[in-house]
Amino acid sequence: MAESTAPESTPTRRSPDPRRRSERARTAILDAAAALMGEVGFSRMTMEGIAARAGVGKQTIYRWWPSKAAVVLEVFQREAGGEAEPLPDTGDLAADLRTVLRATVDEYNTPETDRISRAFTAEVQHDEDFARSVTEDLLRPHMSAYKDRLRSAREAGEISPDADLDVAVELLTGPLHHRWLLRTAPLTHDYVDVLVDMALRALRP
């Protein structure tokens, strides 16, 4: 009597993961906005253009962002390494500042970040609403992170008790951005080290 064989099981087909599909669409939108920002600038970029470049419907973009300015701000945050985070606090202020500013130099020396940042900076010069959004949503949180670390250093007696923290942040970050924006000289880790040493010499008690 012949043995009966069980029917072979049919492999189950997994349905697409909507979360993964959404993340792919989101990444495509940000990539498209980054490319268009460098090619045509903020003022000529449209939601329709971003959608066409990303291969998605315009409503897909509006699901996550209320305007093209919001899209571009997230592009810039992504290029800058994400949302503002607290600066490291190892107890050595100079070392902590060098760590953060060296990372900033590395970002600006990346061709894609440099291209997007220059287009972004150019748009800020002649669009007041956009500039206001950049200040409130992007710059102020990052500057606050610097101020928090400097405030901790002031409480520890590492910098003068009457140091103006807003000016101190500009003293540390302004020269770096000036050199990058005007291309006056290369951005290097050595430059960061000199900048931190000189700034802290002025800020010490």
Side-chain angles (χ1 to χ4, degrees):
M1 183 175 179
E3 294 183 3
S4 61
T5 57
E8 293 184 3
S9 60
T10 303
T12 57
R13 182 175 297 174
R14 294 181 179 177
S15 59
D17 185 341
R19 290 172 300 179
R20 186 174 299 173
R21 187 169 60 241
S22 293
E23 188 56 37
R24 281 199 300 267
R26 190 182 182 92
T27 300
I29 291 165
L30 293 174
D31 289 344
L36 289 169
M37 187 74 181
E39 292 171 12
V40 304
F42 178 80
S43 59
R44 293 175 59 193
M45 184 170 60
T46 64
M47 291 295 240
E48 290 82 359
I50 297 172
R53 185 74 166 253
V56 301
K58 190 167 64 171
Q59 290 306 314
T60 300
I61 302 178
Y62 281 114
R63 186 188 310 160
W64 292 307
W65 300 279
S67 65
K68 68 174 182 177
V71 180
V72 171
L73 281 172
E74 185 158 339
V75 168
F76 198 77
Q77 284 181 326
R78 185 182 69 169
E79 295 300 324
E83 296 182 358
E85 296 181 355
L87 267 65
D89 190 347
T90 65
D92 185 336
L93 178 61
D96 294 341
L97 291 172
R98 288 191 196 102
T99 296
V100 174
L101 291 173
R102 284 180 175 187
T104 301
V105 162
D106 292 341
E107 289 165 7
Y108 276 130
N109 283 330
T110 303
E112 181 70 4
T113 300
D114 180 78
R115 180 180 64 82
I116 294 171
S117 298
R118 291 189 184 280
F120 196 86
T121 302
E123 194 59 38
V124 165
Q125 305 309 307
H126 58 81
D127 188 324
E128 291 185 10
D129 290 337
F130 185 61
R132 199 173 300 113
S133 295
V134 170
T135 298
E136 293 300 323
D137 299 335
L138 186 65
L139 296 182
R140 208 175 296 284
H142 282 278
M143 295 303 99
S144 292
Y146 275 95
K147 285 176 65 177
D148 289 343
R149 180 62 185 91
L150 290 172
R151 189 176 294 108
S152 173
R154 188 171 62 184
E155 292 169 356
E158 293 184 88
I159 63 176
S160 175
D162 60 354
D164 186 313
L165 298 187
D166 289 304
V167 175
V169 173
E170 293 176 346
L171 188 62
L172 286 161
T173 61
L176 188 152
H177 292 291
H178 177 274
R179 179 175 282 210
W180 166 76
L181 182 63
L182 299 182
R183 306 180 196 268
T184 56
L187 280 180
T188 64
H189 288 186
D190 288 342
Y191 173 67
V192 165
D193 295 347
V194 172
L195 176 61
V196 169
D197 287 344
M198 292 186 71
L200 291 186
R201 199 176 305 156
L203 291 169
R204 286 193 183 102

